[in-house]
């Protein structure tokens, strides 16, 4: 009887799977998948950027757009890691706090304006000023000002020696057209952005997406090469299953952040390619150590913070939920970042019993109620909540958009948050630990000793001194359990099999490299 | 049953025996008989009773703790699938929690919210409706105006906006729904009271000097009770569906509390490949609401048997 | 009749004003507006400057009158999140929601009225019971679940219709069914009740006695009278659909007004929420008034009041 039942079950399941695959295949063979024929690449992601200007949003979606529409002074080759000339042709440290750059001649902005030193000077002086209302200060705080030394020569003045400067100049610091920006202002710029990059934005629809067209005048000597695909369209689809469904029906050509379960199923779908890999992005829980979120915040007590670290099953989440190469993380940095010393971190193993002991010792034998805020991967947040619930920390979930969460977090109102940080793909501990512990707006711990060590590390040009200070800071963060670093993200890309696409561990899809097969 | 001859034997001993056996059946007994004869009502009441009992005895019935998550055992299919097992009869959800246990405990959330919200909105609506129906004139005009204003506000949107301000939770949902769902109570009790206002027994009560509160509570209320009970059941169902919608959108009951609406929302990511994750809680919701609606409709039919209301 | 209508119009206007007050307070309950506009990086002085610039230091009543004045001209200010005019975002999304509501209503009517008529004619037969069962079951299913189930059956398994979006007419079929199904039972019941009412009335019996054939009697006289309250209800249901579309639009990822409101709520973009609530309420009030007018025009009893 059992054998018969099993056969029936297997047959039924088989039929169900077959039906779905058939549906998927039928979907894809329909003429809707004409995007290669239209030479239009449609890519979808989950979050909209509130402002397309790279200095006014903190989202990865913004970084992708920035690399399509604008260029930076320096280009870091993702395959070799070398710095190559992009808008700047040469650079030299005049002094530890002054960097002089020679600029490329003959480059045009997408509206015809000629690129020159005026634009570089304008961009940097504008973003460091308070009127700009920039939200990415952690990327530009090291800059004091920029001076024009000639039509194609500038000097960037630093507040203090900052060895990671080149890394930042090659990353999230695009160059804006000075004259145009002054004419239309930030609002106008956000609606009709202009840059020197391989793609020009033809329309920006808030909440829906961005359409871009190939910049046929893109300067021939760019280390990025010339763009191949004629049109690119970015659409916002918040639900991961809708994104998958749109991919399967051909309405969209490329998606990412595919939940691991869906990725498994998509792998077996014909005409869709799936790529995966570990990334530099780290998921972590921030903890309100100073207790600003409520008068008698339990998190002021070290034992409670340690309990949070012992309560969460990092390996379980990494292996079963995130998958694709995800690994547990115990440091306030990613292991490939310069200065990230894994040896000094305490590896809080998964130990709910110990967590309960610590809570009881801290005076919470029956646990306590609190709040946790999150804006992404609700599933991971729920797993974390479940783990905390088990030891008695009953955290209520506040799930909201990133901009809203950032306001609450920066104002010190959040006891716990679940966030992820990709360090803007910069391989330097300053891009992670510095952001959250050096006194910037994302630093809620406000520990003066940490600040001192991190500033010393960031401003010395001697790598040994830098490493020593980073180690001290990371050790303290771990011992004091100021945060609970959890796991590294993997990402699953799924895309139209007719597309030639290469993903990199820095989590920056380079559509300007992509082409049709 | 003994055959009864219809000869007029009232005076004789046989006659008084006849009288004794033919004692008039009391009203409540007659109503009960009518209710038991109404198939929809009986069916609805039976289903409702099962669900209520399941909710009450959840700790005894549920095989596991609904909060017990085990990420290594995610998304195990139910027993009728090849990979299912008796360990988790209805499988596990995306965090490895036992589905059946969450289903049973989810009934609690739905029932608590249904009852509490219906109670609060019932209190508000009945008060407004009775006052409007009894006093008429300016009071009626004012209350009718309030009702119309409330009807013009899109309930779901206002509930969402309010919930996002204070954050979703069981308490918040109950209060919000209680404050928003009173309109039908007001409308129905108002028209029922209006019909009673000029009745003789009210005039009689006034004549013997009964105070207004007394009349309202002791005379009017019991007589509109039948209409009121119908509305209570319908609004309970309404509240349950609205909570499910709010939880589905993320602003109702928060995880890890089991709520059927939340379970559908949680299962949405997998519905293409593992449809049971949304079919089961959705079906549970539909059955519960159906049962309540059957009871409500049945009660309405029993009290106003010409089938048109 | 004119007096009746004028009275209803006056009430509608008063209700509109009240709703606008409620909607206005939504915005101001959300916390310090000046800080929200200025952004998290700003200093206290900048926040103060913003407060003065936007007139947030004036008394509430003045602010309300100012807002109301602008709202009447359809100027709802700028979104907190996107820095663009709210009205632009609204006018992009409104047609989609209207289209969805209109099609949903049409579907509901096309099913409800014939079903109700048949249920009335063949009262207490299996047809009547089936219609009642459909009605009762229709009201028991959560709309989001029904919507998801439709996707599961018709998009994923049968692949007859697309999953999400709002480009072509095919995208509207499933959401319209999901949205309209909820309105159908009430209209069906009303039709049935109305038909039963009219079929048993003296008027119809007289017509029958005159010798008019049965179907003529039904379709000419009875239906017309029975349909009056249904049309009025339909107008009201359309109003409900506009308000309740947020769920369906969320399930089908349609860029309608409901989805806009939902997005705005989740990122605390209160000017947008305020505008959407007000606009939907205005539509509802307008549609209810329309229902009153229809009632007055078609029902001879009201006409002579």
């Amino acid at each position: 009887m059992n054998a018969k039942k099993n056969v029936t079950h297997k047959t039924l399941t088989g039929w169900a799977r077959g039906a779905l695959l058939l549906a998927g295949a039928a979907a894809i063979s329909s003429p809707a998948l004409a995007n290669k024929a239209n030479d239009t690449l449609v890519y979808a992601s989950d979050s909209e950027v509130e402002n397309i200007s790279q200095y006014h949003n903190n989202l990865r979606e913004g970084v992708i757009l920035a690399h399509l529409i604008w260029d930076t002074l320096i280009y870091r080759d993702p395959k070799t890691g070398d710095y190559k000339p992009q808008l700047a042709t040469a650079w030299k440290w005049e002094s530890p706090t002054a960097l002089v750059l020679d600029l490329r001649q003959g480059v045009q902005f997408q509206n015809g304006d000629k690129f020159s030193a005026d634009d570089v000077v304008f961009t940097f002086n504008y973003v460091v000023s308070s009127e700009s209302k920039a939200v990415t200060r952690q990327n530009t705080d090291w800059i004091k000002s920029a001076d024009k030394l000639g039509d194609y020569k500038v000097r960037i003045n630093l507040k203090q020696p900052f060895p990671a400067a080149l890394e930042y100049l090659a990353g999230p610091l695009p160059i804006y057209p000075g004259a145009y920006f002054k004419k239309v202002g930030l609002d106008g710029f956000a609606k009709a952005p202009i840059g020197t990059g391989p793609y020009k934005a033809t329309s920006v629809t808030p909440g829906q997406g961005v359409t871009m067209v190939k910049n046929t005048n893109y300067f021939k000597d760019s280390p990025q090469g010339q763009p191949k695909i004629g049109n690119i369209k970015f659409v916002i689809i918040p639900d991961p299953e809708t994104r998958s469904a749109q991919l399967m029906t051909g309405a969209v050509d490329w998606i990412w952040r595919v939940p691991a379960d869906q990725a498994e199923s998509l792998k077996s779908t014909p005409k869709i390619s799936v790529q995966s890999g570990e990334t530099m992005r780290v998921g972590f829980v921030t903890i309100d150590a100073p207790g600003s979120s409520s008068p008698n915040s339990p998190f002021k007590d070290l034992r409670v913070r340690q309990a949070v670290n012992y309560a969460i099953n990092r390996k379980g989440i990494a292996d079963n939920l995130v998958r694709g190469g995800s690994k547990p993380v115990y440091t306030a940095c990613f292991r490939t970042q310069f200065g990230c010393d894994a040896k000094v971190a305490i590896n809080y193993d998964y130990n709910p019993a110990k967590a309960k002991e610590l809570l009881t010792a801290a005076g919470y034998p029956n646990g306590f109620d609190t709040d946790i805020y999150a804006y992404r991967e609700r599933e991971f947040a729920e797993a974390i909540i479940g783990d905390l619930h088990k030891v008695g920390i009953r955290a209520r979930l506040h799930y909201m958009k990133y901009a809203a969460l950032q306001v609450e977090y920066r104002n010190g109102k959040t006891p716990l948050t679940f966030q992820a940080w990709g360090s803007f793909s910069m391989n330097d501990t300053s891009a992670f630990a510095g952001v959250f512990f050096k006194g910037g707006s994302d630093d809620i711990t406000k520990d003066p000793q940490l600040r001192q060590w991190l500033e010393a590390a960031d401003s010395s040009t001697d790598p040994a001194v830098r490493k020593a200070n980073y180690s001290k800071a990371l050790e303290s963060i771990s011992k004091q359990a100021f945060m609970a670093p959890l796991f590294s993200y993997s990402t699953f890309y799924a895309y139209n099999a007719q597309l030639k696409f290469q993903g990199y561990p820095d989590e920056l899809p380079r559509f300007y490299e992509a082409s049709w097969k | 049953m003994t055959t009864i001859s219809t000869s007029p034997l009232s005076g004789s001993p046989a006659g008084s025996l006849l009288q004794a056996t033919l004692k008039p059946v009391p009203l409540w007994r007659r109503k009960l008989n009518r209710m038991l004869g109404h198939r929809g009502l009986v069916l609805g009441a039976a289903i409702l009773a099962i669900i209520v009992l399941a909710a009450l005895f959840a700790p005894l019935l549920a095989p596991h703790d609904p909060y017990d998550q085990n990420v290594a055992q995610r998304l195990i299919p139910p027993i009728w699938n090849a990979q299912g097992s008796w360990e988790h009869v209805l499988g596990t959800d995306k965090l490895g929690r036992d589905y059946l246990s969450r289903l049973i405990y989810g009934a609690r959330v739905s029932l608590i919210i249904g009852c509490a919200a219906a109670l609060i909105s019932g209190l508000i609506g009945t008060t407004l409706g009775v006052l409007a129906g009894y006093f008429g004139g300016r009071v009626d005009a004012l209350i009718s105006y309030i009702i119309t204003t409330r009807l013009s506000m899109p309930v779901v949107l206002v509930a969402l906006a309010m919930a996002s301000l204070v954050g979703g939770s069981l308490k918040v949902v109950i209060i919000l729904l209680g404050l928003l769902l009173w309109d039908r109570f007001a409308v129905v009790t108002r028209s029922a009271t209006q019909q009673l206002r000029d009745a003789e027994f009210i005039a009689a009560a006034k004549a013997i000097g009964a105070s207004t509160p007394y009349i309202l509570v002791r005379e009017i209320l019991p007589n509109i009770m039948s209409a009121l009970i119908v509305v209570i059941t319908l609004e309970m169902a309404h509240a349950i569906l609205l909570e499910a919608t709010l939880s589905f959108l993320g602003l109702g009951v928060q995880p890890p509390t089991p709520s059927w609406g939340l379970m559908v929302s949680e299962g949405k990511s997998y519905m293409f490949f593992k449809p049971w994750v949304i079919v089961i809680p959705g079906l549970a919701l539909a059955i519960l609401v159906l049962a309540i609606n059957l009871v409500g409709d049945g009660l309405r039919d029993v009290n106003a048997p010409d089938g048109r209301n | 009749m004119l007096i009746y209508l004028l009275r209803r119009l006056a009430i509608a206007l008063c209700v509109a004003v009240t709703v606008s007050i409620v909607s206005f307070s939504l915005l101001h309950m959300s916390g310090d507006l000046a800080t929200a506009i200025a952004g998290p990086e700003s200093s206290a002085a900048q926040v103060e400057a913003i407060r003065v610039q936007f007139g947030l230091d004036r008394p509430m009543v003045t602010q309300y009158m100012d807002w109301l004045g602008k709202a009447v001209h359809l100027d709802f200010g700028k979104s907190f999140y996107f820095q663009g005019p709210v009205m632009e975002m609204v006018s992009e999304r409104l047609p989609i929601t209207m289209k969805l509501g209109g099609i949903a209503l049409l579907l509901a009517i096309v099913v409800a009225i014939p079903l109700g008529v048949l249920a009335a004619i063949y009262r207490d037969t299996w047809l009547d019971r089936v219609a009642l069962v459909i009605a009762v079951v229709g009201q028991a299913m959560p709309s989001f679940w029904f919507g998801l189930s439709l996707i599961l059956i018709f998009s994923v398994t049968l692949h007859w219709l697309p999953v999400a979006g709002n480009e072509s007419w095919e995208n509207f079929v499933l959401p319209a069914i999901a949205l309209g199904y909820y309105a159908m039972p009430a209209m069906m019941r009303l039709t049935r009740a109305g038909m039963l009412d009219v079929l048993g009335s003296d008027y119809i019996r007289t017509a029958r006695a005159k010798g008019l054939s049965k179907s003529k009697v039904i379709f000419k006289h009875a239906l017309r009278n029975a349909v009056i309250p249904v049309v009025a209800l339909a107008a009201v249901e359309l109003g409900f659909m506009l308000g309740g579309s947020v769920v369906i639009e969320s399930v089908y990822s349609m860029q309608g007004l409901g989805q806009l409101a939902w997005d705005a709520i989740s990122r605390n973009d209160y000017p947008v929420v305020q505008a959407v609530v007000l606009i939907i309420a205005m539509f509802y009030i307008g549609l209810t008034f329309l229902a009153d007018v229809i009632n007055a025009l078609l029902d001879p009893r009201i006409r002579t009041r």
Side-chain angles (χ1 to χ4, degrees), chain B residues 248-269:
Chain B
F248 173 77
L249 289 173
L251 280 176
V253 172
Q254 292 302 312
T257 314
S259 142
W260 289 342
L262 196 56
M263 285 163 79
V264 175
S265 157
E266 289 173 345
K268 197 159 67 87
S269 330

Side-chain angles (χ1 to χ4, degrees), chain A residues 221-232:
Chain A
D221 296 322
S222 171
Q224 286 174 186
Q226 291 292 305
K228 298 181 194 65
I229 297 180
N231 301 282
I232 297 185

Side-chain angles (χ1 to χ4, degrees), chain B residues 189-206:
Chain B
T189 53
R190 175 176 171 275
S191 75
T193 310
Q194 274 175 336
Q195 286 170 356
L196 285 178
R197 184 174 46 187
D198 302 316
E200 279 183 5
F201 69 95
I202 298 292
K206 278 195 218 170

Side-chain angles (χ1 to χ4, degrees), chain A residues 69-129:
Chain A
I69 301 175
W70 291 282
D71 289 315
T72 50
L73 289 173
I74 301 176
Y75 176 76
R76 185 158 70 81
D77 189 318
K79 297 191 182 79
T80 64
D82 297 333
Y83 292 125
K84 296 209 172 101
Q86 198 170 30
L87 285 179
T89 50
W91 49 89
K92 200 173 68 165
W93 287 102
E94 205 175 60
S95 78
T97 54
L99 180 67
V100 173
L101 302 115
D102 292 311
L103 303 174
R104 194 183 294 271
Q105 303 188 26
V107 177
Q108 267 188 341
F109 282 97
Q110 290 145 3
N111 63 351
D113 289 351
K114 286 198 178 7
F115 162 72
S116 73
D118 288 324
D119 303 301
V120 178
V121 169
F122 167 77
T123 304
F124 290 135
N125 286 331
Y126 169 73
V127 299
V128 299
S129 73

Side-chain angles (χ1 to χ4, degrees), chain B residues 39 145 148-149 151-154 156-157 160-162 164-165 241 244-245 248-249 251 261 264 268 271-272 275 278-279 282-283 285-286 289-290 293 297 300 306-308, chain C residues 14-15 18-19 22 26 29-30 123 136-137 139-142 144-145 148 151-152 156 182 189 193 197 243 246-247 250-251 261-262 265 270 273 276-277 280-281 284-285:
Chain B
R39 270 180 303 178
Y145 172 72
T148 317
T149 307
L151 279 176
S152 313
M153 313 254 4
V156 178
L157 281 181
L160 283 175
M162 296 280 105
S164 85
L165 272 174
L241 282 178
T245 307
F248 173 77
L249 289 173
L251 280 176
V264 175
K268 197 159 67 87
M271 74 170 191
F272 292 150
I278 62 156
V279 171
L283 215 57
L285 271 169
V289 172
L290 184 67
N293 278 340
D297 283 351
R300 181 198 293 170
D306 53 8
R308 311 194 250 115
Chain C
C14 288
V15 172
T18 315
V19 168
V22 171
L26 260 181
M29 275 199 283
S30 63
R123 179 191 182 165
V136 161
V137 167
Q139 281 182 319
M141 286 194 294
F144 60 88
W145 184 71
L148 286 176
I151 294 180
L152 207 54
V156 178
Y182 211 72
R189 281 195 165 164
D197 216 0
V246 55
V247 179
S250 161
V251 168
W262 174 226
I265 288 171
Y270 284 97
V273 180
V276 175
V277 167
I280 291 184
Y284 181 81
I285 294 171

